[in-house]
Amino acid sequence: MYYKNEGFTNKEAKLFWKAVEEHEPRLSALQAVSGRIGVKGAKWLCKAIKAMPTIDEVNLNTNPLGDKAVALLAETLKDCPNITKLNLSTTSMGDQGMKALALAMSNKYAL
């Protein structure tokens, strides 16, 4: 199953988490692109992503995530071994977000 939403907001991220919590969907991909997801929305999406063991792709491009939200997602990746595709292009990610993501990925794929 696949979920795509363009224009996702922080409020919709919370509603998405509530739906995941209640229905436990078997999603393989989440695409919430071209939206307005910031730190608040990222917190809800991280909860939802952790609750979906079958998810292997997350696309959040063109959202104003910033470093704090990317750091939250990086922490989430540590608990989600099936995620092999992650798109965070055009998310206002700076050096701190990139460092958090690099650290999470290096721990995830350490030999």
Side-chain angles (χ1 to χ4, degrees), residues 1 16-17 19-30 45-58 76-84 108:
M1 214 152 110
F16 180 74
W17 155 242
V20 166
E21 181 181 46
E22 188 173 321
H23 302 290
E24 299 178 15
R26 297 287 178 198
L27 295 177
S28 62
L30 168 63
L45 287 181
C46 287
K47 287 182 177 188
I49 290 167
K50 285 182 181 181
M52 295 184 289
T54 57
I55 195 162
D56 63 9
E57 179 181 344
V58 177
T76 298
L77 288 177
K78 293 177 183 178
D79 298 325
C80 301
N82 293 333
I83 294 178
T84 58
K108 184 174 180 173

Side-chain angles (χ1 to χ4, degrees), residues 37-43 45-46 49 58 60-78 86-105:
I37 300 170
V39 175
K40 288 181 183 178
K43 287 178 183 178
L45 287 181
C46 287
I49 290 167
V58 177
L60 299 175
N61 79 60
T62 318
N63 278 285
L65 297 174
D67 287 335
K68 289 181 181 179
V70 170
L72 291 170
L73 288 164
E75 283 298 311
T76 298
L77 288 177
K78 293 177 183 178
L86 177 66
N87 185 346
L88 297 176
S89 61
T90 318
T91 57
S92 304
M93 177 176 28
D95 291 343
Q96 295 303 312
M98 182 58 76
K99 287 177 186 176
L101 193 56
L103 181 61
M105 297 308 289

